[in-house]
Amino acid sequence: MTVVKAENVIKDYGLNGTTVHALRGVNLEFQGGEFAAIAGPSGSGKSTFLHLTGCLDTITGGSMQIGGSDTSKMSRKQLALLRRHSIGFIFQAYNLIPVLSVEENISFPLTLLGVDKNEVAERTAQALKDVGLEGMAKRRPKEMSGGQQQRVAIARALVKKPALILADEPTANLDSKIGREILELMLALNKSVGTTFIFSTHDQMVMDYARRVVHIRDGQVESDEVK
Ligand SMILES: Nc1ncnc2c1ncn2[C@@H]1O[C@H](COP(=O)(O)OP(=O)(O)O)[C@@H](O)[C@H]1O
Ligand SMILES: [Mg+2]
């Protein structure tokens, strides 16, 4: 099943009266169950592509289909619902809510979805277990290491059981040992639950984990290799 279909996707940003051409006609398709890396140097358009795929921003031209729906034909409200139900996003800087505990950060997306209280508690506990943070439910993000915070961010993304998880340089702020653990965790989820992962990176170690590596440069696909 095709999860993401980008056709000639263009993204321009307006910046101080000039235009930045961040994506210049990107054609990419991702199937369910993929474990794929978007690689490229800083400024090549990786985050832009992931933000567009995650419906966090809108395309300037071309078309983007997520799960068979054309996002350019959807209202803001429909996009928010698609994002809330079907997509988990892991940010480079974790983006946890500092005033909430670990378990509150993880359960928040479920509460938004209107899931019943007992199920929220159950799924949150399971997600904590999946990422190996059972004993840390009551901590605040600032009381944890970077790797632990990234685990919380992963738990928050997977607690919704989304078909697609997008991760923007998920290991960039972690040392390589912890980075490996995070990748192993993502890979285990990909294998056990079949969650589709698309992550960006400029780190060779991270690319080595991927079963497919798409290189982008200056807003265009340079190569697309399935291993
Ligand atoms: N909000 C923005 N406003 C203006 N330019 C932006 C914005 N976000 C990204 N860009 C520019 O778009 C290009 C691609 O950026 P980005 O997608 O962040 O690349 P990467 O994630 O590969 O480092 C860069 O030239 C960057 O400066
Ligand atoms: Mg980036």
Short mmCIF file of all heavy atoms in Angstrom, two decimals, residues 8-51:
data_model
loop_
_atom_site.label_atom_id
_atom_site.label_comp_id
_atom_site.label_asym_id
_atom_site.label_seq_id
_atom_site.Cartn_x
_atom_site.Cartn_y
_atom_site.Cartn_z
N ASN A 8 6.16 15.84 -7.99
CA ASN A 8 6.69 17.15 -8.38
C ASN A 8 6.46 18.21 -7.29
O ASN A 8 6.03 19.32 -7.56
CB ASN A 8 6.03 17.60 -9.69
CG ASN A 8 6.80 18.71 -10.35
OD1 ASN A 8 8.02 18.84 -10.14
ND2 ASN A 8 6.12 19.54 -11.12
N VAL A 9 6.77 17.83 -6.05
CA VAL A 9 6.49 18.73 -4.92
C VAL A 9 7.48 19.90 -4.89
O VAL A 9 8.70 19.73 -4.93
CB VAL A 9 6.52 17.97 -3.57
CG1 VAL A 9 6.59 18.94 -2.39
CG2 VAL A 9 5.28 17.09 -3.45
N ILE A 10 6.91 21.08 -4.83
CA ILE A 10 7.66 22.33 -4.76
C ILE A 10 7.36 22.98 -3.41
O ILE A 10 6.20 22.98 -2.98
CB ILE A 10 7.17 23.32 -5.86
CG1 ILE A 10 7.09 22.62 -7.22
CG2 ILE A 10 7.94 24.62 -5.85
CD1 ILE A 10 8.18 22.89 -8.17
N LYS A 11 8.40 23.47 -2.76
CA LYS A 11 8.17 24.28 -1.56
C LYS A 11 9.05 25.52 -1.60
O LYS A 11 10.28 25.42 -1.66
CB LYS A 11 8.47 23.47 -0.28
CG LYS A 11 8.27 24.26 1.00
CD LYS A 11 6.83 24.70 1.21
CE LYS A 11 6.66 25.52 2.48
NZ LYS A 11 5.26 25.98 2.65
N ASP A 12 8.41 26.66 -1.60
CA ASP A 12 9.11 27.94 -1.53
C ASP A 12 8.82 28.56 -0.17
O ASP A 12 7.70 28.47 0.33
CB ASP A 12 8.59 28.92 -2.60
CG ASP A 12 8.91 28.45 -4.02
OD1 ASP A 12 9.87 27.67 -4.19
OD2 ASP A 12 8.20 28.89 -4.95
N TYR A 13 9.82 29.18 0.42
CA TYR A 13 9.60 29.98 1.63
C TYR A 13 9.86 31.44 1.26
O TYR A 13 10.82 31.74 0.54
CB TYR A 13 10.59 29.61 2.72
CG TYR A 13 10.46 28.23 3.32
CD1 TYR A 13 11.41 27.26 3.02
CD2 TYR A 13 9.43 27.91 4.20
CE1 TYR A 13 11.34 25.99 3.59
CE2 TYR A 13 9.35 26.64 4.77
CZ TYR A 13 10.30 25.70 4.46
OH TYR A 13 10.22 24.45 5.02
N GLY A 14 9.03 32.33 1.76
CA GLY A 14 9.32 33.76 1.61
C GLY A 14 10.23 34.17 2.75
O GLY A 14 10.00 33.79 3.89
N LEU A 15 11.29 34.86 2.43
CA LEU A 15 12.23 35.28 3.47
C LEU A 15 12.74 36.69 3.18
O LEU A 15 13.45 36.90 2.19
CB LEU A 15 13.41 34.28 3.52
CG LEU A 15 14.40 34.43 4.67
CD1 LEU A 15 13.74 34.13 6.01
CD2 LEU A 15 15.58 33.50 4.45
N ASN A 16 12.35 37.63 4.00
CA ASN A 16 12.76 39.04 3.84
C ASN A 16 12.59 39.53 2.40
O ASN A 16 13.51 40.12 1.83
CB ASN A 16 14.22 39.24 4.26
CG ASN A 16 14.48 38.72 5.66
OD1 ASN A 16 13.61 38.84 6.52
ND2 ASN A 16 15.64 38.14 5.87
N GLY A 17 11.45 39.26 1.82
CA GLY A 17 11.18 39.75 0.47
C GLY A 17 11.80 38.91 -0.63
O GLY A 17 11.56 39.18 -1.82
N THR A 18 12.60 37.89 -0.28
CA THR A 18 13.13 37.00 -1.31
C THR A 18 12.46 35.63 -1.15
O THR A 18 11.75 35.38 -0.18
CB THR A 18 14.66 36.81 -1.19
OG1 THR A 18 14.93 36.18 0.06
CG2 THR A 18 15.40 38.13 -1.27
N THR A 19 12.70 34.76 -2.13
CA THR A 19 12.10 33.43 -2.07
C THR A 19 13.19 32.38 -1.96
O THR A 19 14.17 32.42 -2.71
CB THR A 19 11.28 33.17 -3.36
OG1 THR A 19 10.33 34.23 -3.50
CG2 THR A 19 10.54 31.85 -3.29
N VAL A 20 13.03 31.48 -0.99
CA VAL A 20 13.95 30.34 -0.86
C VAL A 20 13.27 29.13 -1.50
O VAL A 20 12.16 28.77 -1.11
CB VAL A 20 14.25 30.04 0.63
CG1 VAL A 20 15.18 28.83 0.75
CG2 VAL A 20 14.85 31.26 1.32
N HIS A 21 13.91 28.55 -2.50
CA HIS A 21 13.35 27.36 -3.17
C HIS A 21 13.84 26.12 -2.43
O HIS A 21 14.88 25.56 -2.78
CB HIS A 21 13.76 27.34 -4.64
CG HIS A 21 13.34 28.56 -5.39
ND1 HIS A 21 12.01 28.82 -5.69
CD2 HIS A 21 14.04 29.61 -5.88
CE1 HIS A 21 11.93 29.96 -6.34
NE2 HIS A 21 13.15 30.47 -6.46
N ALA A 22 13.08 25.70 -1.42
CA ALA A 22 13.56 24.61 -0.56
C ALA A 22 13.39 23.24 -1.23
O ALA A 22 14.27 22.39 -1.10
CB ALA A 22 12.82 24.64 0.78
N LEU A 23 12.29 23.02 -1.92
CA LEU A 23 12.11 21.77 -2.68
C LEU A 23 11.77 22.16 -4.12
O LEU A 23 10.89 22.98 -4.37
CB LEU A 23 10.99 20.90 -2.08
CG LEU A 23 11.23 20.34 -0.67
CD1 LEU A 23 10.04 19.48 -0.24
CD2 LEU A 23 12.52 19.53 -0.57
N ARG A 24 12.47 21.52 -5.06
CA ARG A 24 12.33 21.90 -6.47
C ARG A 24 11.85 20.73 -7.32
O ARG A 24 12.54 20.29 -8.22
CB ARG A 24 13.69 22.35 -7.02
CG ARG A 24 14.39 23.42 -6.20
CD ARG A 24 15.88 23.43 -6.58
NE ARG A 24 16.61 24.36 -5.75
CZ ARG A 24 17.02 25.56 -6.19
NH1 ARG A 24 16.81 25.96 -7.42
NH2 ARG A 24 17.68 26.36 -5.37
N GLY A 25 10.69 20.21 -7.00
CA GLY A 25 10.14 19.13 -7.82
C GLY A 25 10.57 17.77 -7.31
O GLY A 25 11.39 17.09 -7.95
N VAL A 26 10.05 17.38 -6.18
CA VAL A 26 10.42 16.09 -5.57
C VAL A 26 9.36 15.03 -5.90
O VAL A 26 8.17 15.23 -5.66
CB VAL A 26 10.57 16.23 -4.04
CG1 VAL A 26 10.68 14.86 -3.36
CG2 VAL A 26 11.79 17.09 -3.71
N ASN A 27 9.81 13.91 -6.47
CA ASN A 27 8.94 12.77 -6.74
C ASN A 27 9.42 11.61 -5.88
O ASN A 27 10.53 11.14 -6.05
CB ASN A 27 9.03 12.36 -8.22
CG ASN A 27 8.43 13.41 -9.13
OD1 ASN A 27 7.23 13.62 -9.15
ND2 ASN A 27 9.29 14.11 -9.86
N LEU A 28 8.57 11.19 -4.95
CA LEU A 28 8.94 10.07 -4.07
C LEU A 28 7.69 9.33 -3.65
O LEU A 28 6.65 9.94 -3.39
CB LEU A 28 9.62 10.60 -2.79
CG LEU A 28 11.10 10.96 -2.83
CD1 LEU A 28 11.51 11.56 -1.50
CD2 LEU A 28 11.97 9.74 -3.16
N GLU A 29 7.83 8.01 -3.56
CA GLU A 29 6.72 7.18 -3.09
C GLU A 29 7.23 6.28 -1.98
O GLU A 29 8.33 5.73 -2.09
CB GLU A 29 6.22 6.31 -4.24
CG GLU A 29 4.75 6.45 -4.50
CD GLU A 29 4.30 5.55 -5.64
OE1 GLU A 29 3.97 4.39 -5.35
OE2 GLU A 29 4.28 6.02 -6.80
N PHE A 30 6.45 6.15 -0.92
CA PHE A 30 6.82 5.23 0.17
C PHE A 30 5.68 4.25 0.41
O PHE A 30 4.51 4.66 0.45
CB PHE A 30 7.11 6.00 1.46
CG PHE A 30 8.33 6.88 1.36
CD1 PHE A 30 8.21 8.21 0.97
CD2 PHE A 30 9.59 6.38 1.64
CE1 PHE A 30 9.32 9.03 0.87
CE2 PHE A 30 10.71 7.18 1.55
CZ PHE A 30 10.59 8.51 1.15
N GLN A 31 6.04 2.98 0.56
CA GLN A 31 5.04 1.93 0.78
C GLN A 31 4.94 1.62 2.28
O GLN A 31 5.89 1.86 3.03
CB GLN A 31 5.45 0.65 0.04
CG GLN A 31 5.71 0.85 -1.45
CD GLN A 31 4.50 1.37 -2.20
OE1 GLN A 31 3.37 0.93 -1.95
NE2 GLN A 31 4.71 2.33 -3.10
N GLY A 32 3.82 1.05 2.68
CA GLY A 32 3.64 0.64 4.06
C GLY A 32 4.73 -0.32 4.50
O GLY A 32 5.12 -1.20 3.75
N GLY A 33 5.25 -0.11 5.72
CA GLY A 33 6.27 -1.00 6.28
C GLY A 33 7.70 -0.63 5.94
O GLY A 33 8.63 -1.31 6.38
N GLU A 34 7.89 0.45 5.19
CA GLU A 34 9.27 0.84 4.85
C GLU A 34 10.03 1.37 6.07
O GLU A 34 9.43 1.87 7.03
CB GLU A 34 9.27 1.92 3.76
CG GLU A 34 9.00 1.35 2.37
CD GLU A 34 9.56 2.24 1.26
OE1 GLU A 34 10.76 2.57 1.31
OE2 GLU A 34 8.80 2.58 0.35
N PHE A 35 11.34 1.25 6.02
CA PHE A 35 12.24 1.82 7.04
C PHE A 35 13.27 2.61 6.24
O PHE A 35 14.29 2.07 5.82
CB PHE A 35 12.88 0.70 7.86
CG PHE A 35 13.47 1.14 9.16
CD1 PHE A 35 12.65 1.50 10.23
CD2 PHE A 35 14.84 1.20 9.33
CE1 PHE A 35 13.20 1.91 11.44
CE2 PHE A 35 15.40 1.61 10.54
CZ PHE A 35 14.57 1.96 11.60
N ALA A 36 12.95 3.86 5.96
CA ALA A 36 13.68 4.62 4.94
C ALA A 36 14.32 5.88 5.51
O ALA A 36 13.76 6.54 6.38
CB ALA A 36 12.73 5.01 3.81
N ALA A 37 15.50 6.18 4.99
CA ALA A 37 16.21 7.41 5.40
C ALA A 37 16.20 8.42 4.27
O ALA A 37 16.36 8.06 3.10
CB ALA A 37 17.65 7.07 5.77
N ILE A 38 16.01 9.68 4.64
CA ILE A 38 16.21 10.80 3.73
C ILE A 38 17.54 11.41 4.14
O ILE A 38 17.67 11.93 5.26
CB ILE A 38 15.12 11.88 3.89
CG1 ILE A 38 13.71 11.29 3.85
CG2 ILE A 38 15.30 13.00 2.86
CD1 ILE A 38 13.13 11.09 2.50
N ALA A 39 18.51 11.31 3.27
CA ALA A 39 19.84 11.78 3.60
C ALA A 39 20.19 13.00 2.77
O ALA A 39 19.66 13.19 1.68
CB ALA A 39 20.86 10.67 3.35
N GLY A 40 21.06 13.81 3.31
CA GLY A 40 21.49 15.00 2.55
C GLY A 40 22.12 15.99 3.49
O GLY A 40 21.86 15.97 4.69
N PRO A 41 22.96 16.87 2.95
CA PRO A 41 23.62 17.86 3.80
C PRO A 41 22.64 18.86 4.39
O PRO A 41 21.48 18.92 3.97
CB PRO A 41 24.60 18.56 2.83
CG PRO A 41 24.08 18.29 1.47
CD PRO A 41 23.32 17.01 1.53
N SER A 42 23.11 19.61 5.35
CA SER A 42 22.30 20.64 5.98
C SER A 42 21.79 21.61 4.92
O SER A 42 22.54 22.02 4.04
CB SER A 42 23.16 21.35 7.02
OG SER A 42 22.40 22.33 7.64
N GLY A 43 20.50 21.93 4.99
CA GLY A 43 19.92 22.88 4.04
C GLY A 43 19.42 22.26 2.75
O GLY A 43 18.92 22.95 1.86
N SER A 44 19.50 20.92 2.63
CA SER A 44 19.11 20.27 1.37
C SER A 44 17.59 20.12 1.23
O SER A 44 17.10 19.85 0.13
CB SER A 44 19.79 18.90 1.24
OG SER A 44 19.50 18.09 2.36
N GLY A 45 16.86 20.26 2.33
CA GLY A 45 15.40 20.19 2.25
C GLY A 45 14.78 19.01 2.99
O GLY A 45 13.59 18.74 2.85
N LYS A 46 15.56 18.34 3.83
CA LYS A 46 15.08 17.15 4.56
C LYS A 46 13.91 17.50 5.49
O LYS A 46 12.86 16.86 5.45
CB LYS A 46 16.21 16.51 5.38
CG LYS A 46 17.43 16.12 4.58
CD LYS A 46 18.49 15.44 5.42
CE LYS A 46 19.10 16.31 6.53
NZ LYS A 46 19.84 17.49 6.01
N SER A 47 14.13 18.49 6.35
CA SER A 47 13.07 18.87 7.30
C SER A 47 11.84 19.35 6.56
O SER A 47 10.71 19.03 6.93
CB SER A 47 13.56 19.96 8.25
OG SER A 47 14.61 19.49 9.05
N THR A 48 12.08 20.12 5.51
CA THR A 48 10.95 20.63 4.73
C THR A 48 10.12 19.47 4.20
O THR A 48 8.89 19.47 4.32
CB THR A 48 11.47 21.49 3.55
OG1 THR A 48 12.19 22.60 4.10
CG2 THR A 48 10.34 22.00 2.68
N PHE A 49 10.80 18.46 3.64
CA PHE A 49 10.06 17.31 3.10
C PHE A 49 9.27 16.60 4.20
O PHE A 49 8.10 16.25 4.01
CB PHE A 49 11.00 16.34 2.38
CG PHE A 49 10.25 15.16 1.81
CD1 PHE A 49 9.50 15.30 0.65
CD2 PHE A 49 10.25 13.94 2.46
CE1 PHE A 49 8.76 14.24 0.13
CE2 PHE A 49 9.51 12.87 1.95
CZ PHE A 49 8.76 13.02 0.78
N LEU A 50 9.89 16.40 5.35
CA LEU A 50 9.19 15.70 6.44
C LEU A 50 8.03 16.53 6.98
O LEU A 50 6.97 15.99 7.28
CB LEU A 50 10.17 15.36 7.57
CG LEU A 50 11.17 14.25 7.25
CD1 LEU A 50 12.09 14.00 8.44
CD2 LEU A 50 10.48 12.94 6.87
N HIS A 51 8.23 17.85 7.08
CA HIS A 51 7.13 18.70 7.56
C HIS A 51 5.93 18.64 6.60
O HIS A 51 4.78 18.60 7.04
CB HIS A 51 7.59 20.15 7.72
CG HIS A 51 8.53 20.35 8.86
ND1 HIS A 51 9.32 21.47 9.02
CD2 HIS A 51 8.84 19.54 9.90
CE1 HIS A 51 10.04 21.35 10.12
NE2 HIS A 51 9.77 20.19 10.67
#
